[in-house]
Amino acid sequence: MEPLVDSYGRRIKSLRISITDKCNFRCTYCMPAEGLPWLKKAEILSYEEIVRIARVAAGIGIEQIRLTGGEPLVRRDIPELVYQLRQIEGLRSLSLTTNGILLKQLAGPLAQAGLTRINVSLDSLIREKFAQIARRDQLLRVLEGLEELEKYPSIHPIKVNAVAVKGFSEEEVLDFVRLARRKAYVMRWIEFMPLDADQIWRKEDILTGAELKAIIEAEYGSLVAITTGDRSETARRYTFSDGIGEVGFINPVSEPFCASCDRIRLTADGQLRTCLFATEETDLRAVVRSDAPDEELAQTIRQAVWNKELKHYIGDKRFKRANRSMSMIGG
Ligand code: SAM
């Protein structure tokens, strides 16, 4: 079988599937306070349609799937979807990104359904600050969700992701490090990107991975790089000199990793996006809702991948904002 490659020679292995555009948070860097006009039910891919696209994509070279949203756990019966996706031959990893608020109920069923990894987004450990950024006073429920997750070793290590925003995140960096070392969570920070619906992003708001690392090293001494040789890994990973704990920095703005990007994304309404910042999409929903055979679906995916964008151009005159915000794309 021909590998799934783009015209720049990048081999595409990872598919992120957004299963809903709805979210129960309103993070300031993502969604407006009042929410967004939600997709209608008929516009959203059914589980059957998602599984078919995933199966066809796995058949031509996709090895990893990550479910996201919106908030994926608000979609009904998500363990059933996880179970069905796990039956697909050729998939090495099936993970999920969540804000964690529903994990108390769902961690067990998700582990049982065969989820292999999970990322929990958490931007502050201070209740007021959490409520300010998520626009929901739900820190305690997220922490409870994380605790629940600890009971299921099949989905460890637990990764905690925080968006780093200048003037907001610095004061808690060391608290997150202490939590991660104590709990064996992998703690990662991701640079704020211009994908917020309110368009509040300014270059000055970026707190870079290098700045975060310097804050940690001032307290703990030099961090020790962890190298796995996997070029498509987005995070720069480090441990501490005593070997306890792991932190990572995802630096799409200050150190773009487009050259080794192996990802494509499917939106909840079935549009294939070959870059977070894509301005064009490929309508897979139209293909699955026609009588087209799997071969045609596979060919449509191959063609879209072939046309994958070279890079995102943030910080360059050529940069154009994407036509969707992060919650509508699926981070
Ligand atoms: N609701 C789920 C969650 O909270 O993880 C999944 C969807 S959310 C859009 C996925 C990730 O994107 C979250 O970690 C979120 O913090 C991140 N994100 C959203 N907007 C962002 C932005 N403008 N820059 C960087 N990361 C962003």
Side-chain angles (χ1 to χ4, degrees):
M1 189 197 52
E2 281 171 55
L4 188 57
V5 285
D6 70 10
S7 62
Y8 301 100
R10 289 171 297 193
R11 165 110 156 69
I12 304 307
K13 290 186 269 184
S14 167
L15 171 63
R16 298 206 176 170
I17 304 178
S18 171
I19 62 168
T20 176
D21 57 327
K22 289 195 181 130
C23 189
N24 38 17
F25 284 6
R26 294 287 180 273
C27 300
T28 53
Y29 52 72
C30 189
M31 226 194 246
E34 64 282 8
L36 288 162
W38 310 124
L39 292 168
K40 295 187 192 71
K41 191 157 181 249
E43 294 175 305
I44 293 178
L45 292 181
S46 67
Y47 282 173
E48 203 183 342
E49 290 167 335
I50 291 173
V51 172
R52 177 171 173 215
I53 293 173
R55 182 174 44 73
V56 168
I60 56 174
I62 290 295
E63 297 173 1
Q64 302 170 14
I65 288 184
R66 170 174 294 279
L67 301 178
T68 180
E71 170 49 41
L73 300 193
V74 301
R75 184 139 177 201
R76 193 180 296 180
D77 299 331
I78 179 170
E80 177 55 32
L81 174 66
V82 168
Y83 178 78
Q84 289 183 29
L85 290 171
R86 274 296 274 167
Q87 311 311 308
I88 294 175
E89 224 173 286
L91 273 195
R92 281 194 298 115
S93 151
L94 177 61
S95 57
L96 180 135
T97 299
T98 173
N99 63 25
I101 185 178
L102 295 172
L103 277 177
K104 183 122 174 120
Q105 304 93 288
L106 284 170
L110 287 168
Q112 221 172 11
L115 198 70
T116 57
R117 279 189 302 137
I118 202 154
N119 288 357
V120 179
S121 304
L122 174 58
D123 299 318
S124 175
L125 296 167
I126 300 167
R127 187 170 163 184
E128 293 72 26
K129 279 186 73 178
F130 181 99
Q132 180 196 333
I133 198 146
R135 297 195 182 104
R136 296 288 184 270
D137 184 8
Q138 296 287 2
L139 173 65
L140 293 179
R141 275 182 76 188
V142 176
L143 294 177
E144 271 174 20
L146 274 167
E147 298 239 318
E148 181 68 20
L149 212 47
E150 288 174 35
K151 297 181 190 159
Y152 304 96
S154 63
I155 35 181
H156 291 179
I158 298 166
K159 290 187 182 164
V160 177
N161 289 343
V163 176
V165 182
K166 192 145 241 158
F168 181 88
S169 310
E170 295 89 330
E171 65 167 342
E172 289 190 71
V173 171
L174 295 176
D175 290 338
F176 272 117
V177 168
R178 282 186 278 271
L179 174 78
R181 278 164 59 84
R182 183 161 55 83
K183 293 278 199 177
Y185 299 159
V186 175
M187 182 64 213
R188 310 185 317 168
W189 287 266
I190 177 160
E191 291 172 351
F192 182 23
M193 293 181 280
L195 284 167
D196 53 308
D198 280 339
Q199 308 212 358
I200 54 167
W201 183 90
R202 293 169 315 143
K203 224 166 151 208
E204 300 72 56
D205 297 328
I206 302 165
L207 178 62
T208 66
E211 289 171 297
L212 292 158
K213 182 166 174 269
I215 295 174
I216 300 174
E217 291 191 321
E219 179 75 14
Y220 287 90
S222 291
L223 294 174
V224 182
I226 301 173
T227 41
T228 57
D230 180 356
R231 282 191 67 234
S232 63
E233 207 160 50
T234 51
R236 291 191 176 272
R237 297 168 56 193
Y238 298 88
T239 185
F240 296 81
S241 55
D242 60 8
I244 299 173
E246 180 181 327
V247 290
F249 308 101
I250 303 171
N251 307 332
V253 184
S254 68
E255 293 180 89
F257 33 81
C258 307
S260 56
C261 179
D262 71 346
R263 276 170 301 286
I264 53 175
R265 292 179 153 82
L266 182 66
T267 64
D269 55 345
Q271 307 303 304
L272 189 68
R273 297 178 62 89
T274 46
C275 174
L276 256 184
F277 295 91
T279 48
E280 282 172 34
E281 303 175 333
T282 300
D283 190 355
L284 296 190
R285 186 183 64 193
V287 180
V288 293
R289 291 188 182 174
S290 70
D291 282 336
D294 284 355
E295 293 70 34
E296 187 178 329
L297 181 56
Q299 191 46 37
T300 309
I301 298 172
R302 274 195 189 282
Q303 189 57 47
V305 163
W306 183 256
N307 295 329
K308 181 173 163 67
E309 295 73 1
L310 173 62
K311 56 183 193 160
H312 63 46
Y313 296 111
I314 299 176
D316 186 299
K317 275 203 219 80
R318 285 168 289 181
F319 177 70
K320 272 203 223 129
R321 281 190 73 104
N323 49 355
R324 299 189 191 231
S325 63
M326 192 68 138
S327 68
M328 295 161 76
I329 297 171

